[in-house]
Amino acid sequence: MEQIKLTVNGKGYELQVRPWASLLEVIRDDLGLTGTKEGCGEGECGACTVIMDGKAVNSCIVLAVEADGRQITTIEGLAEGDKLHPVQEAFLEMGGMQCGFCTPGMILSTKVLLDGNKNPTDEDIRKGLEGNFCRCTGYTKIFESVKAAAQKIRR
Amino acid sequence: MKEYTVIGQRVPRIDGRQKVMGQAKYAADYSLPGMLFCKVARLPVAHAKILNVDTSKAERLPGVKAVVTAKDFNGWTWGFMANTRDEPPLAMDKVRYYMEAVAAVAAIDEDAAEEACDLIKVDYEELPSVFDPEDAIREGAPVVHDYRPNNVSVEYHWNFGDVEKSFAESYLVREDRFRTSRATKGYLEPPASLAWYDPAGYITVWAAKQSPYFHYRHLAACFGLPLSKIRVIQPFIGGGFGGTKNDSVAGDFCAVMLSKMTGKPVKFVYTQEEELTISKRRHSMIVYNKMGMSKDGLITAIQSRVIADGGGYTAVSPLTMYLTGCCTPLPYKLPNYKYDCYRAFTNNPICAAMRGHGVTHTRFACEIQMEMMAEELGIDPVEIRMQNAIDNPKPGEIYRTINDMTLKTCGIKEAIQTLVRDPLWAQKDKAPKQDGSVSYGVGMSATSYLGGARQLGHQSCAAIVRICEDGTVNLITGATDCGQGSDTVLAMIAAEELGVRYQDIDFKMVDSAYTPVDPGSYGSRVTVLAGQAVQTAAADAKKQLLDILGREWKVSPEEIEIRNAEVYHRSNPSRRIPFDKLAKIACYSGSGAVIIGKGYSGYGIEPLGFENGRGNAGTSFSFTAQTTRAGVDMETGHVTISDFVIAHDCGRPLNPIGAESQNEGGAVQGMGQAIYEDFIMDRGKTLNPTFLDYKMPRSTDVPDIKVIDIITDDPDGPFGAKEASEGSHVSAPPSVVAAIHDATGIWFKEQPVTAEKIVAALKEKGKWPGKQ
């Protein structure tokens, strides 16, 4: 077992992890934060997206030991109590989801996109979400949600 | 017409807050103390006789608590119809497809369970195998199931009118061979369940099922328990699209059996690779289509001979093959029709239902063939459609197809005309046709899909509307939202009918211990049938409330109205109370009343003629016309789809956000199927069982999509609604293929129309600009 330190959603953890455990396994199984989803386990679908030191990563292909000392944000860390983050609000209002399985990852990728670019073009939005599959919506309502979120953040 | 207060509003999803916060729990998110993990052992051979399964080494591995093999299930099998129950939880005498399950392990963690699976030794004798459906039904082919020695798992032979006479009299007759791809649902949530077998004789599962009550019956039958002791608790479902999540999988039965053996709760989660290798996928079908036309382009007859690759077991395919044939007389008038289908058993993975079930195959063939013939006759794509399309019946009238399907509304002509006026079509000749090596084209399709699907057996949906004393409402149904938004629509229906606000309704998800039995989420049936049940239940609760208030106010209940959670006397609107006050009065009246409204669906309970193909496959039918703009790189064959315009007659969109999103998602899934989605097979083995190699549309691949509602207000649907989930999935592939034709001048008859196929066809026609 390896000892690691993580900050997840602002809270510090010291954990003993198997050397081959993924960050996703640690988040879901050790921390009980099941909002982060496993779709493929191979870094293809983006359902397990979390924010690590400001970057969107597929937590299923990041080893927990690689995340040692890093700052992690999961979907549970976005709202402040009952108050939704503007990106969450926008997805809720514009209907940027159906089954919801890709939604946590999609929202976190959107946050990273908008943190770096408050005026994304259509092309920027498409590129920013390229790593996140959605099989339900055909992406149209997700694009609308991202635009609405950008507008909320600019206000 | 009455003005609606909730129906037609762009409300947020009822489950939206949980989903955006990461609080929506799916099957894999559930755990219980002491829980074990189940992994399924599979045999990497497509067809083999099992001689022995030795689990001794696996059992001795530290951490392993139990191993289950076929003998533990005592020969139990399941299937869609009484005479097609051919699928065992674990393979018994032989495996019939690559990676069929042979055993399963419960261990203290996933690593140990997986390692134990590798230690299970199966002695087997490989059998001759068959993978091509046309080969499979030829005499002398290896037999997959002894009970079907000709490998024909399902066949129907229907004949309406006189196709032979009609072909002889037709001005033009064409015969073509079409083929559809080996596509899959592609949901991101793989099958999963947490199972607990209580030794007192109860089963509780948290299972990823879009139709939980199929699973409920399967578990009762498999474990010999009464239905009253089977509890299927439905978590959030991470996408359905038919097939697997309408059915049970090996892991479902094994997890329960292992829980029974160990006394511990047991969870399984398939890997996505496991899902893509073995889970039920769409049939690939070969459609030999023959169409007759008069000189002026009227369709005189269609004859379809369909050969479907069924894979190793029957599953739901008697319905698949029914739907593949029954909807051909829509959306165009068809006076003569013959359908012969053969679903072949092969040693490929099992094929079953998927969105656009059945209809997508034959409609693709008919739509493309019709355009090819129109081209030969020099008739425009719009004109050929308009002159054959079925008219919208006048109120009170019914259009009857040659196989006795009945339409009360049909918006196809209006949908086509709407697209003709839309800029994408209207200005297509003004838009650039060529830019460098890319040729552009615009294509059209017009299609139909059933809503409120019927099958054999239990048909009805039920609902309970329970009024809380503070004026809020619990809505209890047996319906499952696997993403399509039905929980939201059902809550809207309850609110509208009862006269309360949308936010006053709380929706309860399926728990088979408490919610009414329901057929499930398939065949676009939830809004239509569960919707009718909810509307009836809400009306029942409202009547009970008004009866009580009528006595209190000493007026007739008919004189009282509830709207926007306000209760008032119709002729004296100043006499009013808020709804929560009425709820309190009602719940505290006398010694305390319990206001529970109940209702069930009544549409569509007459049986289907599976053998003769006559009758309504659904309660009502949606109509979709679609235009697509495609760019084809004439050097590389790469296709870019830039625009979709979808004119959809779903009767009336109850929740516009949901209806649009269903149309958008269905069309994009259809686009994937049309141009790239396909399993690459090698002797029964899926060579691309990952999302890296099985290409699905990403955000950078999808077109701009416009959805236009065609309102027809069907009398057989709640607030006029028909289906909205599957129509665009059927309309997308022919529309995309027509656009590729417009760009390249070539008709493609085989899905997916890959870059490789395009380049090969361009070379063949001498149109490829590269160096040969």
Coordinates of all heavy atoms in Angstrom, one line a residue, chain A residues 18 20 28 34-35 37 39-40 42 44 75-76 81-82 84 88 91-93 95 97-102 107 126 129-131 133 135-141 143, chain B residues 13 16-17 19-22 24 26 28-29 111 184-186 188-189 237-239 272 482-483 660-662 664-665 669 677 690-692 696-700 702 704-705:
Chain A
R18 N -3.8 1.1 -2.9 CA -3.0 0.1 -3.6 C -2.3 0.8 -4.7 O -2.8 1.8 -5.3 CB -4.0 -1.0 -4.2 CG -4.7 -1.9 -3.2 CD -5.8 -2.6 -3.8 NE -6.8 -1.6 -4.3 CZ -7.6 -1.8 -5.3 NH1 -7.6 -2.9 -6.0 NH2 -8.5 -0.9 -5.6
W20 N -1.8 0.2 -7.7 CA -2.5 0.2 -9.0 C -3.9 0.8 -9.0 O -4.6 0.8 -10.0 CB -2.5 -1.2 -9.5 CG -3.3 -2.2 -8.7 CD1 -4.7 -2.4 -8.7 CD2 -2.8 -3.0 -7.6 NE1 -5.0 -3.4 -7.8 CE2 -3.9 -3.7 -7.1 CE3 -1.5 -3.2 -7.1 CZ2 -3.7 -4.7 -6.0 CZ3 -1.4 -4.1 -6.0 CH2 -2.5 -4.8 -5.5
R28 N -14.5 7.1 -5.5 CA -15.8 6.4 -5.4 C -15.8 5.5 -4.2 O -16.7 5.5 -3.4 CB -16.1 5.6 -6.6 CG -16.6 6.4 -7.8 CD -16.9 5.6 -9.0 NE -17.9 4.6 -8.7 CZ -19.2 4.8 -8.8 NH1 -19.7 6.0 -9.2 NH2 -20.1 3.8 -8.5
T34 N -19.8 9.2 -5.1 CA -20.2 8.4 -6.2 C -20.8 9.2 -7.4 O -21.2 8.7 -8.4 CB -21.3 7.3 -5.8 OG1 -22.4 8.0 -5.2 CG2 -20.8 6.3 -4.8
G35 N -20.7 10.6 -7.2 CA -21.1 11.4 -8.3 C -20.2 11.3 -9.5 O -20.6 11.5 -10.7
K37 N -18.6 9.1 -12.2 CA -19.1 7.8 -12.8 C -18.0 7.1 -13.6 O -17.1 7.7 -14.2 CB -20.3 8.1 -13.8 CG -21.4 8.9 -13.2 CD -22.0 8.2 -12.0 CE -23.1 9.0 -11.3 NZ -23.4 8.5 -10.0
G39 N -17.7 4.9 -16.8 CA -18.4 4.5 -18.0 C -17.6 3.4 -18.8 O -18.2 2.4 -19.2
C40 N -16.3 3.6 -18.9 CA -15.5 2.7 -19.7 C -14.3 2.2 -19.0 O -13.8 1.2 -19.3 CB -15.2 3.3 -21.1 SG -14.0 4.7 -20.9
E42 N -11.4 3.2 -19.4 CA -10.3 3.3 -20.3 C -10.0 4.7 -20.8 O -9.3 4.8 -21.8 CB -10.5 2.3 -21.5 CG -10.7 0.9 -21.0 CD -10.9 -0.1 -22.1 OE1 -11.3 0.3 -23.3 OE2 -10.7 -1.3 -21.9
E44 N -12.0 6.8 -22.4 CA -12.6 7.1 -23.7 C -13.8 7.9 -23.6 O -14.2 8.6 -24.5 CB -12.9 5.8 -24.4 CG -11.6 5.0 -24.8 CD -11.9 3.5 -24.9 OE1 -13.0 3.1 -24.8 OE2 -10.9 2.8 -25.1
I75 N -17.8 16.6 -8.8 CA -19.1 17.2 -9.0 C -19.8 17.6 -7.6 O -20.4 18.7 -7.5 CB -20.1 16.3 -9.8 CG1 -21.4 17.0 -10.2 CG2 -20.5 15.0 -9.0 CD1 -21.1 18.1 -11.2
E76 N -19.5 16.9 -6.6 CA -20.0 17.2 -5.3 C -19.5 18.5 -4.7 O -20.0 19.0 -3.8 CB -19.8 16.0 -4.3 CG -20.6 14.8 -4.6 CD -19.8 13.8 -5.4 OE1 -18.8 14.2 -6.1 OE2 -20.2 12.6 -5.5
G81 N -23.4 24.5 -0.7 CA -24.6 24.1 0.0 C -25.7 23.8 -1.0 O -25.5 23.0 -1.9
D82 N -26.8 24.5 -0.8 CA -28.0 24.4 -1.8 C -27.8 25.2 -3.0 O -28.5 25.0 -4.0 CB -29.2 24.9 -1.1 CG -29.8 23.9 -0.1 OD1 -29.2 22.8 -0.1 OD2 -30.8 24.2 0.5
L84 N -26.5 26.2 -6.4 CA -25.8 25.6 -7.5 C -24.8 26.5 -8.1 O -25.0 27.8 -8.1 CB -26.8 25.2 -8.6 CG -27.9 24.2 -8.2 CD1 -28.8 24.0 -9.5 CD2 -27.3 22.9 -7.8
Q88 N -24.0 24.4 -13.2 CA -25.1 23.5 -12.9 C -26.5 24.1 -13.1 O -27.3 23.4 -13.7 CB -24.9 23.1 -11.4 CG -23.7 22.3 -11.1 CD -23.5 22.1 -9.6 OE1 -23.5 23.1 -8.8 NE2 -23.3 20.9 -9.1
F91 N -27.2 24.0 -16.9 CA -27.6 22.6 -17.4 C -29.0 22.3 -16.9 O -29.7 21.7 -17.7 CB -26.6 21.6 -16.9 CG -25.4 21.4 -17.8 CD1 -24.4 22.4 -17.9 CD2 -25.3 20.3 -18.6 CE1 -23.3 22.2 -18.7 CE2 -24.2 20.1 -19.4 CZ -23.2 21.1 -19.5
L92 N -29.3 22.7 -15.7 CA -30.7 22.4 -15.2 C -31.7 23.2 -16.0 O -32.7 22.6 -16.5 CB -30.7 22.8 -13.7 CG -32.1 22.6 -13.0 CD1 -32.5 21.1 -13.0 CD2 -31.9 23.1 -11.5
E93 N -31.5 24.5 -16.2 CA -32.5 25.3 -16.9 C -32.6 25.0 -18.4 O -33.7 25.0 -19.0 CB -32.1 26.8 -16.8 CG -32.3 27.3 -15.3 CD -31.6 28.6 -15.0 OE1 -31.0 29.2 -16.0 OE2 -31.5 29.0 -13.8
G95 N -31.9 22.1 -19.9 CA -32.1 20.7 -20.2 C -30.9 20.1 -20.8 O -31.1 19.2 -21.7
M97 N -29.2 17.6 -20.2 CA -29.0 16.2 -19.8 C -30.2 15.4 -20.1 O -31.3 15.9 -20.2 CB -28.7 16.2 -18.3 CG -29.9 16.2 -17.4 SD -29.8 16.9 -15.8 CE -30.1 18.6 -16.2
Q98 N -30.0 14.1 -20.2 CA -31.1 13.2 -20.2 C -30.9 12.2 -19.1 O -31.3 12.4 -17.9 CB -31.3 12.5 -21.5 CG -32.0 13.5 -22.5 CD -32.4 12.7 -23.8 OE1 -32.6 11.5 -23.9 NE2 -32.5 13.5 -24.9
C99 N -30.2 11.1 -19.4 CA -30.0 10.1 -18.3 C -29.1 10.6 -17.2 O -29.3 10.1 -16.1 CB -29.5 8.8 -18.9 SG -27.7 8.7 -19.1
G100 N -28.3 11.5 -17.4 CA -27.5 12.1 -16.3 C -26.2 11.4 -16.0 O -25.4 11.9 -15.2
F101 N -25.9 10.4 -16.7 CA -24.7 9.6 -16.4 C -23.4 10.4 -16.8 O -22.4 10.3 -16.2 CB -24.7 8.2 -17.0 CG -23.8 7.2 -16.3 CD1 -24.3 6.6 -15.2 CD2 -22.6 6.8 -16.9 CE1 -23.5 5.6 -14.5 CE2 -21.8 5.9 -16.2 CZ -22.2 5.3 -15.1
C102 N -23.5 11.1 -17.9 CA -22.3 11.9 -18.4 C -22.3 13.2 -17.7 O -21.3 14.0 -17.9 CB -22.4 12.0 -19.9 SG -23.6 13.2 -20.5
I107 N -20.3 18.7 -16.9 CA -20.3 19.9 -16.1 C -18.9 20.3 -15.7 O -18.6 21.5 -15.8 CB -21.3 19.8 -14.9 CG1 -22.8 19.8 -15.4 CG2 -21.1 20.9 -13.9 CD1 -23.8 19.6 -14.4
R126 N -17.5 23.0 -28.7 CA -17.4 21.6 -29.2 C -16.0 21.0 -28.8 O -16.0 19.8 -28.4 CB -17.6 21.6 -30.7 CG -19.0 21.8 -31.1 CD -19.1 22.1 -32.6 NE -20.5 22.4 -33.0 CZ -21.3 21.4 -33.6 NH1 -20.8 20.2 -33.8 NH2 -22.5 21.7 -33.9
L129 N -15.6 20.0 -25.1 CA -16.3 18.9 -24.6 C -16.0 17.6 -25.4 O -16.7 16.6 -25.2 CB -17.8 19.2 -24.7 CG -18.3 20.4 -23.8 CD1 -19.8 20.6 -24.0 CD2 -17.9 20.2 -22.4
E130 N -15.0 17.7 -26.2 CA -14.7 16.5 -27.1 C -14.5 15.2 -26.4 O -14.7 14.1 -26.9 CB -13.5 16.9 -28.0 CG -13.4 16.0 -29.2 CD -12.2 16.4 -30.1 OE1 -11.4 17.2 -29.7 OE2 -12.2 15.9 -31.2
G131 N -13.9 15.4 -25.2 CA -13.6 14.2 -24.4 C -14.7 13.6 -23.6 O -14.6 12.6 -22.8
F133 N -18.4 11.9 -23.9 CA -19.5 11.3 -24.6 C -20.8 11.6 -24.0 O -21.0 11.6 -22.8 CB -19.4 9.8 -24.7 CG -18.7 9.3 -25.9 CD1 -17.6 8.4 -25.7 CD2 -19.0 9.6 -27.2 CE1 -16.9 7.9 -26.8 CE2 -18.4 9.1 -28.3 CZ -17.3 8.2 -28.1
R135 N -24.6 10.0 -25.0 CA -25.3 9.2 -26.0 C -26.8 9.6 -26.1 O -27.5 9.2 -27.0 CB -25.2 7.8 -25.6 CG -25.7 6.7 -26.6 CD -25.0 6.8 -28.0 NE -25.2 5.6 -28.7 CZ -24.8 5.4 -30.0 NH1 -24.2 6.4 -30.6 NH2 -25.0 4.3 -30.6
C136 N -27.3 10.4 -25.1 CA -28.7 10.7 -25.1 C -29.1 12.0 -25.9 O -30.1 11.9 -26.6 CB -29.2 10.9 -23.7 SG -29.0 9.5 -22.6
T137 N -28.4 13.1 -25.7 CA -29.0 14.3 -26.1 C -28.6 14.8 -27.5 O -29.2 15.7 -28.0 CB -28.4 15.5 -25.2 OG1 -27.0 15.6 -25.3 CG2 -28.8 15.2 -23.7
G138 N -27.6 14.1 -28.1 CA -27.1 14.6 -29.4 C -26.4 15.9 -29.2 O -26.1 16.6 -30.2
Y139 N -26.1 16.3 -28.0 CA -25.2 17.5 -27.6 C -25.9 18.8 -27.7 O -25.4 19.8 -27.2 CB -23.9 17.5 -28.3 CG -23.1 16.2 -28.1 CD1 -23.1 15.2 -29.1 CD2 -22.3 16.1 -27.0 CE1 -22.4 14.0 -28.9 CE2 -21.5 14.9 -26.8 CZ -21.6 13.9 -27.8 OH -20.8 12.7 -27.6
T140 N -27.0 19.0 -28.5 CA -27.5 20.3 -28.8 C -27.8 21.1 -27.5 O -27.4 22.2 -27.3 CB -28.8 20.2 -29.7 OG1 -28.5 19.3 -30.8 CG2 -29.3 21.5 -30.1
K141 N -28.6 20.4 -26.6 CA -29.0 21.1 -25.4 C -27.8 21.3 -24.5 O -27.8 22.2 -23.6 CB -30.0 20.2 -24.6 CG -31.3 20.1 -25.4 CD -32.3 21.3 -25.2 CE -33.6 21.2 -25.9 NZ -33.4 21.5 -27.4
F143 N -24.7 22.1 -25.6 CA -24.1 23.4 -26.2 C -24.9 24.6 -25.7 O -24.3 25.6 -25.3 CB -24.1 23.4 -27.7 CG -23.3 22.2 -28.3 CD1 -23.6 21.8 -29.6 CD2 -22.3 21.6 -27.7 CE1 -22.9 20.7 -30.2 CE2 -21.6 20.6 -28.3 CZ -21.9 20.1 -29.5
Chain B
R13 N -36.1 19.4 -15.8 CA -36.4 18.0 -15.4 C -36.6 17.9 -14.0 O -36.0 18.5 -13.1 CB -35.2 17.2 -15.8 CG -34.9 17.0 -17.2 CD -33.7 16.1 -17.4 NE -34.0 14.7 -17.0 CZ -34.3 13.7 -17.8 NH1 -34.3 14.0 -19.1 NH2 -34.6 12.5 -17.4
G16 N -33.6 16.9 -12.4 CA -32.4 17.6 -12.9 C -31.5 18.1 -11.8 O -30.2 18.0 -12.0
R17 N -32.0 18.5 -10.7 CA -31.2 19.0 -9.6 C -30.3 17.9 -9.1 O -29.1 18.1 -8.8 CB -32.1 19.5 -8.5 CG -31.5 20.7 -7.8 CD -32.4 21.3 -6.7 NE -31.6 21.8 -5.7 CZ -31.1 23.0 -5.7 NH1 -31.3 23.8 -6.8 NH2 -30.3 23.5 -4.8
K19 N -29.3 15.3 -10.7 CA -28.3 15.0 -11.7 C -27.2 16.0 -11.8 O -26.0 15.6 -12.0 CB -29.0 14.7 -13.1 CG -29.8 13.4 -13.1 CD -30.5 13.1 -14.4 CE -31.1 11.7 -14.3 NZ -32.0 11.4 -15.5
V20 N -27.5 17.3 -11.8 CA -26.4 18.2 -11.9 C -25.5 18.3 -10.7 O -24.4 18.7 -10.7 CB -26.9 19.7 -12.3 CG1 -27.6 19.7 -13.6 CG2 -27.7 20.3 -11.2
M21 N -26.1 17.8 -9.5 CA -25.3 17.9 -8.3 C -24.5 16.6 -8.1 O -23.8 16.5 -7.1 CB -26.2 18.1 -7.1 CG -26.8 19.5 -7.2 SD -27.9 19.8 -5.7 CE -26.6 20.3 -4.5
G22 N -24.7 15.6 -8.9 CA -24.0 14.3 -8.7 C -24.6 13.5 -7.6 O -24.0 12.6 -7.1
A24 N -27.6 11.9 -8.1 CA -28.5 10.8 -8.6 C -27.7 9.5 -8.5 O -26.6 9.4 -9.0 CB -28.8 11.1 -10.1
Y26 N -27.0 5.7 -9.4 CA -27.2 4.6 -10.3 C -26.8 3.3 -9.7 O -26.3 3.3 -8.5 CB -26.3 4.9 -11.6 CG -26.7 6.2 -12.2 CD1 -26.3 7.4 -11.6 CD2 -27.4 6.3 -13.4 CE1 -26.6 8.6 -12.2 CE2 -27.8 7.5 -13.9 CZ -27.4 8.7 -13.3 OH -27.8 9.9 -13.9
A28 N -24.6 1.0 -9.8 CA -23.2 0.8 -9.3 C -22.9 1.7 -8.1 O -21.9 1.4 -7.4 CB -22.2 1.1 -10.4
D29 N -23.7 2.7 -7.8 CA -23.4 3.6 -6.7 C -23.9 3.1 -5.4 O -23.7 3.7 -4.3 CB -24.0 5.0 -7.0 CG -23.5 5.6 -8.2 OD1 -22.4 5.2 -8.7 OD2 -24.2 6.5 -8.8
D111 N -10.8 -7.5 -7.5 CA -9.6 -8.2 -8.0 C -9.6 -9.7 -7.8 O -9.2 -10.5 -8.7 CB -8.4 -7.6 -7.3 CG -8.1 -6.1 -7.7 OD1 -8.7 -5.7 -8.7 OD2 -7.3 -5.4 -7.0
T184 N -24.9 -0.7 -31.7 CA -25.3 -1.0 -30.4 C -25.8 0.3 -29.7 O -25.7 1.4 -30.2 CB -24.1 -1.6 -29.6 OG1 -24.6 -2.2 -28.4 CG2 -23.1 -0.5 -29.2
K185 N -26.4 0.1 -28.5 CA -27.1 1.1 -27.8 C -26.1 2.2 -27.4 O -26.3 3.4 -27.5 CB -27.7 0.6 -26.5 CG -28.8 -0.4 -26.7 CD -28.4 -1.9 -26.7 CE -27.6 -2.3 -25.5 NZ -27.1 -3.6 -25.6
G186 N -24.9 1.8 -26.9 CA -23.9 2.8 -26.6 C -24.1 3.6 -25.3 O -23.5 4.7 -25.2
L188 N -23.6 4.9 -21.6 CA -22.4 5.0 -20.8 C -22.4 4.1 -19.6 O -21.4 3.7 -19.0 CB -22.0 6.4 -20.5 CG -21.8 7.4 -21.6 CD1 -21.3 8.7 -21.2 CD2 -20.9 6.8 -22.7
E189 N -23.6 3.8 -19.0 CA -23.7 3.0 -17.8 C -23.8 1.5 -18.2 O -24.8 1.1 -18.7 CB -24.9 3.4 -17.0 CG -25.0 2.6 -15.7 CD -26.5 2.5 -15.2 OE1 -27.4 2.5 -16.0 OE2 -26.6 2.2 -14.0
I237 N -31.2 5.4 -14.1 CA -30.7 4.5 -15.2 C -29.9 5.4 -16.2 O -30.4 6.4 -16.7 CB -31.9 3.9 -16.0 CG1 -32.9 3.2 -15.0 CG2 -31.4 2.9 -17.0 CD1 -32.4 2.1 -14.2
G238 N -28.7 4.9 -16.4 CA -27.7 5.6 -17.3 C -27.9 5.3 -18.7 O -26.9 4.9 -19.4
G239 N -29.1 5.5 -19.3 CA -29.4 5.3 -20.7 C -29.9 3.9 -20.9 O -29.5 2.9 -20.2
Q272 N -17.3 -2.0 -19.6 CA -17.9 -1.5 -20.9 C -17.4 -2.5 -22.0 O -18.2 -2.8 -22.9 CB -17.4 -0.1 -21.2 CG -18.2 0.6 -22.3 CD -19.7 0.8 -22.1 OE1 -20.5 0.1 -22.7 NE2 -20.1 1.6 -21.2
C482 N -35.4 6.2 -18.2 CA -34.0 5.8 -18.4 C -33.2 7.0 -19.1 O -32.2 6.8 -19.7 CB -33.9 4.6 -19.2 SG -34.9 4.5 -20.7
G483 N -33.8 8.2 -19.0 CA -33.2 9.4 -19.5 C -34.1 10.2 -20.4 O -33.9 11.4 -20.6
E660 N -37.7 18.0 -27.9 CA -36.6 18.4 -28.8 C -35.4 17.5 -28.5 O -34.8 17.1 -29.4 CB -36.3 19.9 -28.5 CG -37.3 20.9 -29.0 CD -37.2 22.2 -28.3 OE1 -36.1 22.5 -27.6 OE2 -38.1 23.0 -28.4
S661 N -35.1 17.4 -27.2 CA -33.9 16.6 -26.9 C -33.9 15.2 -27.3 O -32.9 14.6 -27.8 CB -33.7 16.7 -25.4 OG -32.4 16.3 -25.0
Q662 N -35.1 14.6 -27.3 CA -35.3 13.2 -27.8 C -35.1 13.2 -29.3 O -34.4 12.3 -29.8 CB -36.7 12.7 -27.5 CG -36.8 12.3 -26.0 CD -36.1 11.0 -25.8 OE1 -36.3 10.0 -26.4 NE2 -35.2 11.0 -24.8
E664 N -33.3 15.3 -31.1 CA -31.9 15.6 -31.4 C -31.0 14.4 -31.1 O -30.2 14.0 -31.9 CB -31.4 16.8 -30.5 CG -32.1 18.1 -30.9 CD -32.2 19.1 -29.8 OE1 -31.8 18.9 -28.6 OE2 -32.7 20.2 -30.0
G665 N -31.3 13.8 -29.9 CA -30.4 12.6 -29.5 C -30.7 11.4 -30.4 O -29.8 10.7 -30.8
Q669 N -27.9 9.6 -32.9 CA -27.6 8.2 -32.7 C -27.9 7.5 -34.1 O -27.1 6.7 -34.5 CB -28.6 7.6 -31.7 CG -28.0 6.3 -31.0 CD -28.9 5.9 -29.9 OE1 -30.1 6.2 -29.8 NE2 -28.4 5.1 -29.0
E677 N -21.1 3.7 -37.2 CA -21.2 2.7 -36.1 C -21.3 1.3 -36.7 O -22.3 1.0 -37.5 CB -22.3 3.0 -35.2 CG -22.0 4.2 -34.3 CD -23.1 4.5 -33.3 OE1 -23.7 3.6 -32.8 OE2 -23.4 5.7 -33.1
T690 N -14.6 -1.4 -27.8 CA -14.3 -0.3 -26.9 C -14.8 1.0 -27.6 O -15.0 1.0 -28.8 CB -12.8 -0.1 -26.7 OG1 -12.2 0.3 -28.0 CG2 -12.1 -1.3 -26.2
F691 N -15.0 2.0 -26.8 CA -15.5 3.3 -27.4 C -14.4 4.0 -28.3 O -14.7 4.9 -29.0 CB -16.0 4.3 -26.3 CG -17.3 3.9 -25.7 CD1 -17.5 4.1 -24.3 CD2 -18.3 3.3 -26.4 CE1 -18.8 3.8 -23.8 CE2 -19.5 2.9 -25.9 CZ -19.7 3.2 -24.5
L692 N -13.2 3.5 -28.1 CA -12.1 4.0 -29.0 C -12.3 3.5 -30.4 O -12.1 4.2 -31.4 CB -10.8 3.6 -28.4 CG -9.6 4.3 -29.0 CD1 -9.6 5.8 -28.7 CD2 -8.3 3.7 -28.4
M696 N -18.6 6.4 -31.9 CA -19.9 7.1 -31.7 C -19.7 8.6 -31.9 O -18.6 9.1 -31.7 CB -20.4 6.8 -30.3 CG -20.6 5.3 -30.0 SD -21.7 5.0 -28.5 CE -20.8 5.8 -27.2
P697 N -20.8 9.3 -32.2 CA -20.6 10.8 -32.4 C -20.2 11.5 -31.1 O -20.7 11.3 -30.1 CB -22.0 11.2 -32.8 CG -22.7 10.0 -33.3 CD -22.2 8.9 -32.5
R698 N -19.2 12.3 -31.3 CA -18.7 13.2 -30.2 C -19.2 14.6 -30.5 O -19.8 14.9 -31.6 CB -17.2 13.2 -30.2 CG -16.6 11.9 -29.7 CD -15.1 12.1 -29.4 NE -14.5 10.9 -29.0 CZ -14.4 10.5 -27.7 NH1 -14.9 11.3 -26.7 NH2 -13.9 9.4 -27.3
S699 N -18.9 15.5 -29.5 CA -19.4 16.9 -29.7 C -18.9 17.5 -30.9 O -19.6 18.4 -31.5 CB -19.0 17.7 -28.4 OG -17.6 17.6 -28.3
T700 N -17.8 17.1 -31.4 CA -17.2 17.8 -32.6 C -17.8 17.2 -33.9 O -17.5 17.7 -35.0 CB -15.7 17.6 -32.6 OG1 -15.4 16.2 -32.2 CG2 -15.0 18.5 -31.7
V702 N -21.2 16.4 -34.4 CA -22.6 16.5 -34.6 C -23.1 17.8 -35.3 O -22.4 18.8 -35.2 CB -23.4 16.4 -33.2 CG1 -23.1 15.1 -32.6 CG2 -23.1 17.6 -32.3
D704 N -25.6 21.0 -36.6 CA -26.6 22.0 -35.9 C -28.0 21.4 -36.2 O -28.2 20.9 -37.3 CB -26.5 23.3 -36.6 CG -25.2 24.0 -36.2 OD1 -24.6 23.7 -35.2 OD2 -24.7 24.9 -37.1
I705 N -28.8 21.3 -35.2 CA -30.1 20.6 -35.3 C -31.2 21.6 -35.0 O -31.2 22.3 -34.0 CB -30.2 19.4 -34.4 CG1 -29.0 18.5 -34.5 CG2 -31.5 18.7 -34.6 CD1 -28.9 17.3 -33.6

